[in-house]
Amino acid sequence: MSSVNGAAPVGIFDSGLGGLSVLRAVRAQLPAERLVYVADSRYAPYGQRDDDFIADRTLAICEWLAAQGAKALVVACNTATAQSIALVREKLALPLVGVEPGIKPAALASKSRVAGVLATQVTLRSERFRALVERHAGDLRVLCQPGHGLVEAVERCDVSSPELVALLRAYVQPMLDAGADTLVLGCTHYPFLDAAIRSIVGKRMTLIDTSVAIARQLERVLDQHGLRAPEGGIAECPRFCSTSDGTHLRQLAAALLDIDTAIERVAIPSRRTLELDANAA
Ligand code: DGL
């Protein structure tokens, strides 16, 4: 008989620290759920990796989380979702929730009918993103901007330096000049930059962050599968794992989620990282 039941944890994964923005929303929405978080920080960012690398890592980490007893998985990474969620669905029988840029909420929110999307290069060039825009944008003009350098900044816990603000300004000022009144944060690292973005755009833009919608989607999926944690409990502190030393994960969890806890360093080898690490040795 399968050991997976309501008391088992939900696995959440991102290339690095960005998925913490999703974990924060999941804890608020589903306080009874036990959570295991994996940051693949050793191999982040994914945004400039090739498609096969992202699929290889996504599958390896999802399989690792399943082996840890996870009852459901959240791929808390737009890039990994865009690239590999179909493959993971094929290979793993667990309920799965992915994340994608909030084009639909942007189309509902925008009055000027112009919206900017900040996301990684991989997300923006994916077939899944093209289909999302086609399905939901309607008459909304969508201005796409790859956020080069932003994931790296958050990974070093830089959410406010003058250099970062200058980089963000270079990305969003042209959107403002083109009349955008809405900005889709199409990468789970970017909600941690909301104060920096606000310092540039003030009240001229609505920022679209889908983490709360993802937490609700997870709730629906757990309900559909009869996998909700027993009612009334409050889960212990999430289990945090990193493929690097975890220093920044610990720092960001403390600063932004008010959780100060040890980080487990985990090895999750996969075909591509075995090659990469052998070449580096
Ligand atoms: N948080 C990931 C996302 O949502 C970042 C991807 C990356 O590592 O470049 O796309």
PDB file of all heavy atoms in Angstrom, residues 14-19 43-48 76-80 99 120 123 151 186-190, ligand 1:
ATOM      1  N   ASP A  14      12.494  24.963  -6.397  1.00  0.00           N
ATOM      2  CA  ASP A  14      12.854  26.050  -7.316  1.00  0.00           C
ATOM      3  C   ASP A  14      14.331  25.911  -7.659  1.00  0.00           C
ATOM      4  O   ASP A  14      15.076  25.221  -6.951  1.00  0.00           O
ATOM      5  CB  ASP A  14      12.593  27.419  -6.672  1.00  0.00           C
ATOM      6  CG  ASP A  14      12.940  28.569  -7.612  1.00  0.00           C
ATOM      7  OD1 ASP A  14      12.638  28.470  -8.817  1.00  0.00           O
ATOM      8  OD2 ASP A  14      13.524  29.569  -7.165  1.00  0.00           O
ATOM      9  N   SER A  15      14.751  26.587  -8.701  1.00  0.00           N
ATOM     10  CA  SER A  15      16.175  26.603  -9.031  1.00  0.00           C
ATOM     11  C   SER A  15      16.979  27.174  -7.865  1.00  0.00           C
ATOM     12  O   SER A  15      18.159  26.905  -7.746  1.00  0.00           O
ATOM     13  CB  SER A  15      16.401  27.477 -10.269  1.00  0.00           C
ATOM     14  OG  SER A  15      15.964  28.794 -10.002  1.00  0.00           O
ATOM     15  N   GLY A  16      16.346  27.993  -7.058  1.00  0.00           N
ATOM     16  CA  GLY A  16      17.076  28.610  -5.960  1.00  0.00           C
ATOM     17  C   GLY A  16      16.127  29.117  -4.899  1.00  0.00           C
ATOM     18  O   GLY A  16      15.274  28.380  -4.403  1.00  0.00           O
ATOM     19  N   LEU A  17      16.241  30.422  -4.610  1.00  0.00           N
ATOM     20  CA  LEU A  17      15.507  30.972  -3.462  1.00  0.00           C
ATOM     21  C   LEU A  17      14.123  31.502  -3.831  1.00  0.00           C
ATOM     22  O   LEU A  17      13.314  31.781  -2.953  1.00  0.00           O
ATOM     23  CB  LEU A  17      16.316  32.120  -2.838  1.00  0.00           C
ATOM     24  CG  LEU A  17      17.802  31.804  -2.569  1.00  0.00           C
ATOM     25  CD1 LEU A  17      18.486  32.989  -1.884  1.00  0.00           C
ATOM     26  CD2 LEU A  17      17.945  30.565  -1.712  1.00  0.00           C
ATOM     27  N   GLY A  18      13.851  31.651  -5.136  1.00  0.00           N
ATOM     28  CA  GLY A  18      12.609  32.285  -5.557  1.00  0.00           C
ATOM     29  C   GLY A  18      11.365  31.573  -5.069  1.00  0.00           C
ATOM     30  O   GLY A  18      10.366  32.198  -4.706  1.00  0.00           O
ATOM     31  N   GLY A  19      11.432  30.246  -5.011  1.00  0.00           N
ATOM     32  CA  GLY A  19      10.261  29.485  -4.581  1.00  0.00           C
ATOM     33  C   GLY A  19       9.844  29.783  -3.150  1.00  0.00           C
ATOM     34  O   GLY A  19       8.738  29.416  -2.736  1.00  0.00           O
ATOM     35  N   TYR A  43      23.062  24.938  -9.012  1.00  0.00           N
ATOM     36  CA  TYR A  43      22.960  24.985 -10.474  1.00  0.00           C
ATOM     37  C   TYR A  43      22.094  26.147 -10.967  1.00  0.00           C
ATOM     38  O   TYR A  43      21.753  26.198 -12.139  1.00  0.00           O
ATOM     39  CB  TYR A  43      22.448  23.636 -11.001  1.00  0.00           C
ATOM     40  CG  TYR A  43      23.357  22.506 -10.561  1.00  0.00           C
ATOM     41  CD1 TYR A  43      22.979  21.639  -9.541  1.00  0.00           C
ATOM     42  CD2 TYR A  43      24.625  22.365 -11.130  1.00  0.00           C
ATOM     43  CE1 TYR A  43      23.828  20.628  -9.110  1.00  0.00           C
ATOM     44  CE2 TYR A  43      25.487  21.369 -10.695  1.00  0.00           C
ATOM     45  CZ  TYR A  43      25.084  20.499  -9.687  1.00  0.00           C
ATOM     46  OH  TYR A  43      25.938  19.516  -9.252  1.00  0.00           O
ATOM     47  N   ALA A  44      21.721  27.066 -10.052  1.00  0.00           N
ATOM     48  CA  ALA A  44      20.958  28.252 -10.465  1.00  0.00           C
ATOM     49  C   ALA A  44      21.936  29.255 -11.072  1.00  0.00           C
ATOM     50  O   ALA A  44      23.124  29.235 -10.740  1.00  0.00           O
ATOM     51  CB  ALA A  44      20.265  28.858  -9.243  1.00  0.00           C
ATOM     52  N   PRO A  45      21.444  30.173 -11.892  1.00  0.00           N
ATOM     53  CA  PRO A  45      20.083  30.240 -12.405  1.00  0.00           C
ATOM     54  C   PRO A  45      19.840  29.281 -13.568  1.00  0.00           C
ATOM     55  O   PRO A  45      20.770  28.925 -14.281  1.00  0.00           O
ATOM     56  CB  PRO A  45      19.963  31.693 -12.866  1.00  0.00           C
ATOM     57  CG  PRO A  45      21.350  32.159 -13.133  1.00  0.00           C
ATOM     58  CD  PRO A  45      22.277  31.322 -12.312  1.00  0.00           C
ATOM     59  N   TYR A  46      18.585  28.893 -13.706  1.00  0.00           N
ATOM     60  CA  TYR A  46      18.187  28.025 -14.822  1.00  0.00           C
ATOM     61  C   TYR A  46      17.938  28.844 -16.105  1.00  0.00           C
ATOM     62  O   TYR A  46      17.937  28.291 -17.188  1.00  0.00           O
ATOM     63  CB  TYR A  46      16.878  27.298 -14.501  1.00  0.00           C
ATOM     64  CG  TYR A  46      16.980  26.128 -13.539  1.00  0.00           C
ATOM     65  CD1 TYR A  46      18.175  25.731 -12.968  1.00  0.00           C
ATOM     66  CD2 TYR A  46      15.821  25.404 -13.221  1.00  0.00           C
ATOM     67  CE1 TYR A  46      18.224  24.654 -12.085  1.00  0.00           C
ATOM     68  CE2 TYR A  46      15.863  24.323 -12.354  1.00  0.00           C
ATOM     69  CZ  TYR A  46      17.068  23.948 -11.783  1.00  0.00           C
ATOM     70  OH  TYR A  46      17.113  22.887 -10.926  1.00  0.00           O
ATOM     71  N   GLY A  47      17.666  30.139 -15.902  1.00  0.00           N
ATOM     72  CA  GLY A  47      17.135  30.968 -16.995  1.00  0.00           C
ATOM     73  C   GLY A  47      18.013  31.032 -18.224  1.00  0.00           C
ATOM     74  O   GLY A  47      17.544  31.381 -19.303  1.00  0.00           O
ATOM     75  N   GLN A  48      19.300  30.731 -18.046  1.00  0.00           N
ATOM     76  CA  GLN A  48      20.155  30.760 -19.232  1.00  0.00           C
ATOM     77  C   GLN A  48      20.692  29.371 -19.568  1.00  0.00           C
ATOM     78  O   GLN A  48      21.602  29.226 -20.380  1.00  0.00           O
ATOM     79  CB  GLN A  48      21.295  31.741 -19.001  1.00  0.00           C
ATOM     80  CG  GLN A  48      20.799  33.180 -19.117  1.00  0.00           C
ATOM     81  CD  GLN A  48      21.468  34.116 -18.147  1.00  0.00           C
ATOM     82  OE1 GLN A  48      22.667  34.060 -17.969  1.00  0.00           O
ATOM     83  NE2 GLN A  48      20.681  34.957 -17.507  1.00  0.00           N
ATOM     84  N   ALA A  76       7.867  25.404  -8.127  1.00  0.00           N
ATOM     85  CA  ALA A  76       7.705  26.838  -7.828  1.00  0.00           C
ATOM     86  C   ALA A  76       8.682  27.665  -8.650  1.00  0.00           C
ATOM     87  O   ALA A  76       9.351  28.566  -8.140  1.00  0.00           O
ATOM     88  CB  ALA A  76       7.898  27.068  -6.335  1.00  0.00           C
ATOM     89  N   CYS A  77       8.758  27.345  -9.912  1.00  0.00           N
ATOM     90  CA  CYS A  77       9.728  27.967 -10.822  1.00  0.00           C
ATOM     91  C   CYS A  77       9.055  28.070 -12.181  1.00  0.00           C
ATOM     92  O   CYS A  77       8.684  27.046 -12.768  1.00  0.00           O
ATOM     93  CB  CYS A  77      10.970  27.082 -10.884  1.00  0.00           C
ATOM     94  SG  CYS A  77      12.226  27.641 -12.040  1.00  0.00           S
ATOM     95  N   ASN A  78       8.878  29.297 -12.656  1.00  0.00           N
ATOM     96  CA  ASN A  78       8.239  29.486 -13.965  1.00  0.00           C
ATOM     97  C   ASN A  78       9.066  28.847 -15.076  1.00  0.00           C
ATOM     98  O   ASN A  78       8.521  28.286 -16.025  1.00  0.00           O
ATOM     99  CB  ASN A  78       8.111  30.982 -14.276  1.00  0.00           C
ATOM    100  CG  ASN A  78       7.114  31.682 -13.396  1.00  0.00           C
ATOM    101  OD1 ASN A  78       5.974  31.882 -13.765  1.00  0.00           O
ATOM    102  ND2 ASN A  78       7.523  32.063 -12.191  1.00  0.00           N
ATOM    103  N   THR A  79      10.381  28.938 -14.937  1.00  0.00           N
ATOM    104  CA  THR A  79      11.273  28.439 -15.982  1.00  0.00           C
ATOM    105  C   THR A  79      11.174  26.918 -16.087  1.00  0.00           C
ATOM    106  O   THR A  79      11.026  26.367 -17.175  1.00  0.00           O
ATOM    107  CB  THR A  79      12.722  28.870 -15.657  1.00  0.00           C
ATOM    108  OG1 THR A  79      12.720  30.282 -15.436  1.00  0.00           O
ATOM    109  CG2 THR A  79      13.670  28.521 -16.764  1.00  0.00           C
ATOM    110  N   ALA A  80      11.222  26.245 -14.945  1.00  0.00           N
ATOM    111  CA  ALA A  80      11.122  24.781 -14.938  1.00  0.00           C
ATOM    112  C   ALA A  80       9.731  24.338 -15.375  1.00  0.00           C
ATOM    113  O   ALA A  80       9.573  23.337 -16.084  1.00  0.00           O
ATOM    114  CB  ALA A  80      11.443  24.241 -13.550  1.00  0.00           C
ATOM    115  N   VAL A  99       3.850  26.794 -11.942  1.00  0.00           N
ATOM    116  CA  VAL A  99       3.568  28.235 -11.906  1.00  0.00           C
ATOM    117  C   VAL A  99       3.791  28.821 -13.293  1.00  0.00           C
ATOM    118  O   VAL A  99       4.701  28.392 -14.006  1.00  0.00           O
ATOM    119  CB  VAL A  99       4.447  28.986 -10.880  1.00  0.00           C
ATOM    120  CG1 VAL A  99       4.254  28.437  -9.501  1.00  0.00           C
ATOM    121  CG2 VAL A  99       5.921  28.974 -11.232  1.00  0.00           C
ATOM    122  N   THR A 120      12.293  35.001 -17.090  1.00  0.00           N
ATOM    123  CA  THR A 120      13.585  34.592 -17.650  1.00  0.00           C
ATOM    124  C   THR A 120      13.445  34.388 -19.162  1.00  0.00           C
ATOM    125  O   THR A 120      12.342  34.187 -19.684  1.00  0.00           O
ATOM    126  CB  THR A 120      14.097  33.275 -17.016  1.00  0.00           C
ATOM    127  OG1 THR A 120      13.252  32.197 -17.432  1.00  0.00           O
ATOM    128  CG2 THR A 120      14.140  33.346 -15.500  1.00  0.00           C
ATOM    129  N   THR A 123      11.654  31.143 -20.037  1.00  0.00           N
ATOM    130  CA  THR A 123      10.193  31.226 -19.918  1.00  0.00           C
ATOM    131  C   THR A 123       9.615  31.967 -21.118  1.00  0.00           C
ATOM    132  O   THR A 123       8.654  31.505 -21.750  1.00  0.00           O
ATOM    133  CB  THR A 123       9.802  31.958 -18.613  1.00  0.00           C
ATOM    134  OG1 THR A 123      10.322  31.233 -17.502  1.00  0.00           O
ATOM    135  CG2 THR A 123       8.295  32.092 -18.474  1.00  0.00           C
ATOM    136  N   VAL A 151      17.754  37.196 -11.071  1.00  0.00           N
ATOM    137  CA  VAL A 151      17.814  35.971 -10.256  1.00  0.00           C
ATOM    138  C   VAL A 151      19.148  35.932  -9.500  1.00  0.00           C
ATOM    139  O   VAL A 151      19.193  35.657  -8.295  1.00  0.00           O
ATOM    140  CB  VAL A 151      17.632  34.710 -11.134  1.00  0.00           C
ATOM    141  CG1 VAL A 151      17.979  33.447 -10.364  1.00  0.00           C
ATOM    142  CG2 VAL A 151      16.195  34.621 -11.643  1.00  0.00           C
ATOM    143  N   GLY A 186       7.015  37.410 -13.637  1.00  0.00           N
ATOM    144  CA  GLY A 186       6.923  36.066 -14.220  1.00  0.00           C
ATOM    145  C   GLY A 186       8.047  35.149 -13.795  1.00  0.00           C
ATOM    146  O   GLY A 186       8.426  34.237 -14.548  1.00  0.00           O
ATOM    147  N   CYS A 187       8.573  35.364 -12.625  1.00  0.00           N
ATOM    148  CA  CYS A 187       9.641  34.521 -12.074  1.00  0.00           C
ATOM    149  C   CYS A 187       9.463  34.586 -10.566  1.00  0.00           C
ATOM    150  O   CYS A 187       9.232  35.677 -10.011  1.00  0.00           O
ATOM    151  CB  CYS A 187      10.992  35.086 -12.501  1.00  0.00           C
ATOM    152  SG  CYS A 187      12.401  34.369 -11.613  1.00  0.00           S
ATOM    153  N   THR A 188       9.558  33.452  -9.906  1.00  0.00           N
ATOM    154  CA  THR A 188       9.235  33.446  -8.463  1.00  0.00           C
ATOM    155  C   THR A 188      10.297  34.161  -7.620  1.00  0.00           C
ATOM    156  O   THR A 188      10.063  34.434  -6.443  1.00  0.00           O
ATOM    157  CB  THR A 188       9.039  31.999  -7.962  1.00  0.00           C
ATOM    158  OG1 THR A 188      10.186  31.200  -8.320  1.00  0.00           O
ATOM    159  CG2 THR A 188       7.785  31.387  -8.547  1.00  0.00           C
ATOM    160  N   HIS A 189      11.438  34.486  -8.213  1.00  0.00           N
ATOM    161  CA  HIS A 189      12.412  35.308  -7.474  1.00  0.00           C
ATOM    162  C   HIS A 189      11.941  36.769  -7.368  1.00  0.00           C
ATOM    163  O   HIS A 189      12.343  37.478  -6.445  1.00  0.00           O
ATOM    164  CB  HIS A 189      13.769  35.309  -8.190  1.00  0.00           C
ATOM    165  CG  HIS A 189      14.602  34.076  -7.971  1.00  0.00           C
ATOM    166  ND1 HIS A 189      14.277  32.862  -8.522  1.00  0.00           N
ATOM    167  CD2 HIS A 189      15.746  33.879  -7.255  1.00  0.00           C
ATOM    168  CE1 HIS A 189      15.209  31.961  -8.177  1.00  0.00           C
ATOM    169  NE2 HIS A 189      16.097  32.554  -7.406  1.00  0.00           N
ATOM    170  N   TYR A 190      11.169  37.225  -8.346  1.00  0.00           N
ATOM    171  CA  TYR A 190      10.912  38.669  -8.449  1.00  0.00           C
ATOM    172  C   TYR A 190      10.019  39.270  -7.364  1.00  0.00           C
ATOM    173  O   TYR A 190      10.156  40.455  -7.070  1.00  0.00           O
ATOM    174  CB  TYR A 190      10.356  39.026  -9.837  1.00  0.00           C
ATOM    175  CG  TYR A 190      11.238  38.653 -11.019  1.00  0.00           C
ATOM    176  CD1 TYR A 190      10.732  38.685 -12.317  1.00  0.00           C
ATOM    177  CD2 TYR A 190      12.572  38.271 -10.861  1.00  0.00           C
ATOM    178  CE1 TYR A 190      11.526  38.344 -13.418  1.00  0.00           C
ATOM    179  CE2 TYR A 190      13.368  37.924 -11.951  1.00  0.00           C
ATOM    180  CZ  TYR A 190      12.835  37.955 -13.223  1.00  0.00           C
ATOM    181  OH  TYR A 190      13.612  37.613 -14.315  1.00  0.00           O
TER     182      TYR A 190
HETATM  183  N1  DGL B   1      12.477  31.249  -9.862  1.00  0.00           N
HETATM  184  C1  DGL B   1      12.756  30.843 -11.215  1.00  0.00           C
HETATM  185  C2  DGL B   1      11.566  31.177 -12.091  1.00  0.00           C
HETATM  186  O1  DGL B   1      10.467  31.332 -11.563  1.00  0.00           O
HETATM  187  C3  DGL B   1      14.068  31.390 -11.646  1.00  0.00           C
HETATM  188  C4  DGL B   1      14.697  30.647 -12.768  1.00  0.00           C
HETATM  189  C5  DGL B   1      16.177  30.783 -12.867  1.00  0.00           C
HETATM  190  O2  DGL B   1      16.872  30.143 -12.075  1.00  0.00           O
HETATM  191  O3  DGL B   1      16.643  31.509 -13.760  1.00  0.00           O
HETATM  192  O4  DGL B   1      11.646  31.263 -13.295  1.00  0.00           O
END
